[in-house]
Amino acid sequence: MKLQTALAGVVALAATASAQLTKVNDFNAGPTKLGMYVKVGKNLKTPAPIVVAVHHCQGSATGYAGETRYTQLADQYGFIAIYPNSKSGGGCFDVASTATLTHNGGGDSQTIANMVKYAVDKLGGDPARVYTVGSSSGAMMTNVLVAAYPDVFKAGSVYSGVPAGCFYVQGATATQDPPGWANSCANGQLTKTAQQWGDMVRSYYPGFNGTRPRMQIFHGTADNTLRYPNYQEQLKEWSNVFGLTAKKDTANTPKSGWTQTIYGDGTTTTAQLVGYSAQGVGHSVPQQEAMDMAFFGLA
């Protein structure tokens, strides 16, 4: 009976979170047909930070709101949460086409960047404090957003993803459904040097010369969907982008069986790149929302 009561509470919490989302019907900037859902936090800061939360395959904006705590945290910390909704029948985002891997190239990544612009222009969002987080397909998109739109996002948090560009499929288009799938990447068979990965990121917005967004990366060693070698490939990619080689590993942090890796100087709230390897954890690593808030500087 206690278990049934607890499960009922979880279901009620998820329903409440998803019910708090509002579909933005007048968002039509495109270029792809993603839905835009928002939660405008109570006691909104002026201007308000923005957190873009990107769902996984076979997911949805409302579903991801129910699975995570970002809507409640929007109330607690006074930010705007944006939940993009995939146009794909399978609920995945396009991280495979040249369009989405190019700054203002016309793919899903540009549509999400345009959602941020909408929130800044019409909802009181702060363009200097924009962050993104995602799981699985949403994690892959988070890597792409940070790579192709470093002028928009200040930090990203990635749960069980792959490096930006790893899912590139030659000939994939921004409108195809389902988006391209790259087996070699998903299976952890696509490896590159840190320099090669870094060059790919820089090629997505070759004219950018500003400060790159900070990155926090989680991955489970038992991930059988986007396999564990993708963790090290992501760390290679971003460490090269940041020009960092020195790192410090700390075992059993933040919990038993997890290993924290901090690149360069700083702490988990100031370092440019922080990774978490979760021993025995599959796909996907459970969301660590409190850590995200601290990493984004919102808590």
Side-chain angles (χ1 to χ4, degrees), residues 10 13-14 17 51-54 56 63-77 79 81 83 131-135 156-159 216 218 254-255 258 268-269 276 284-299:
V10 170
L13 180 63
V51 175
V52 178
V54 193
H56 48 78
Y64 198 50
E67 296 164 15
T68 59
R69 296 186 57 249
Y70 302 111
T71 54
Q72 297 95 317
L73 292 168
D75 285 336
Q76 183 176 349
Y77 295 114
F79 64 80
Y83 286 80
Y131 314 96
T132 179
V133 58
S135 180
S157 187
V158 173
Y159 291 85
Q216 178 174 254
F218 298 84
K255 58 183 70 179
W258 290 36
T268 54
T269 57
Y276 294 94
S284 299
V285 175
Q287 227 87 12
Q288 307 294 310
E289 293 95 339
M291 294 174 66
D292 293 336
M293 294 297 102
F295 188 75
F296 295 157
L298 298 179

Side-chain angles (χ1 to χ4, degrees), residues 196-230:
Q196 287 172 326
W197 283 125
D199 287 345
M200 289 175 66
V201 169
R202 288 180 284 270
S203 75
Y204 302 148
Y205 189 2
F208 182 75
N209 57 9
T211 301
R212 291 280 176 176
R214 300 167 60 238
M215 288 297 291
Q216 178 174 254
I217 298 171
F218 298 84
H219 217 104
T221 63
D223 193 327
N224 291 323
T225 302
L226 299 174
R227 293 184 179 270
Y228 184 64
N230 282 302

Side-chain angles (χ1 to χ4, degrees), residues 87-168:
K87 67 184 185 301
S88 163
C92 300
F93 290 91
D94 167 29
V95 294
S97 72
T98 298
T100 205
L101 291 167
T102 303
H103 183 79
N104 291 340
D108 280 355
S109 63
Q110 185 177 355
T111 302
I112 295 173
N114 284 339
M115 291 179 187
V116 172
K117 186 177 187 301
Y118 179 101
V120 170
D121 292 344
K122 298 191 176 183
L123 301 177
D126 184 354
R129 291 188 292 171
V130 181
Y131 314 96
T132 179
V133 58
S135 180
S136 191
S137 179
M140 294 191 280
M141 176 54 76
T142 294
N143 272 316
V144 169
L145 289 170
V146 171
Y149 295 89
D151 56 330
V152 174
F153 297 94
K154 304 306 176 186
S157 187
V158 173
Y159 291 85
S160 307
V162 304
C166 188
F167 248 57
Y168 169 73

Side-chain angles (χ1 to χ4, degrees), residues 261-273:
T261 300
I262 298 179
Y263 281 77
D265 298 325
T267 66
T268 54
T269 57
T270 62
Q272 290 177 293
L273 176 60

Side-chain angles (χ1 to χ4, degrees), residues 21-90:
L21 288 189
T22 300
K23 189 174 191 300
V24 183
N25 291 316
D26 66 339
F27 173 75
N28 54 16
T32 59
K33 297 182 182 299
L34 304 183
M36 178 181 179
Y37 291 75
V38 300
K39 161 64 180 184
V40 178
K42 298 176 182 176
N43 303 313
L44 198 67
K45 293 180 179 178
T46 306
I50 298 169
V51 175
V52 178
V54 193
H55 66 75
H56 48 78
C57 288
Q58 300 178 338
S60 65
T62 55
Y64 198 50
E67 296 164 15
T68 59
R69 296 186 57 249
Y70 302 111
T71 54
Q72 297 95 317
L73 292 168
D75 285 336
Q76 183 176 349
Y77 295 114
F79 64 80
I80 299 165
I82 298 175
Y83 286 80
N85 194 73
S86 171
K87 67 184 185 301
S88 163

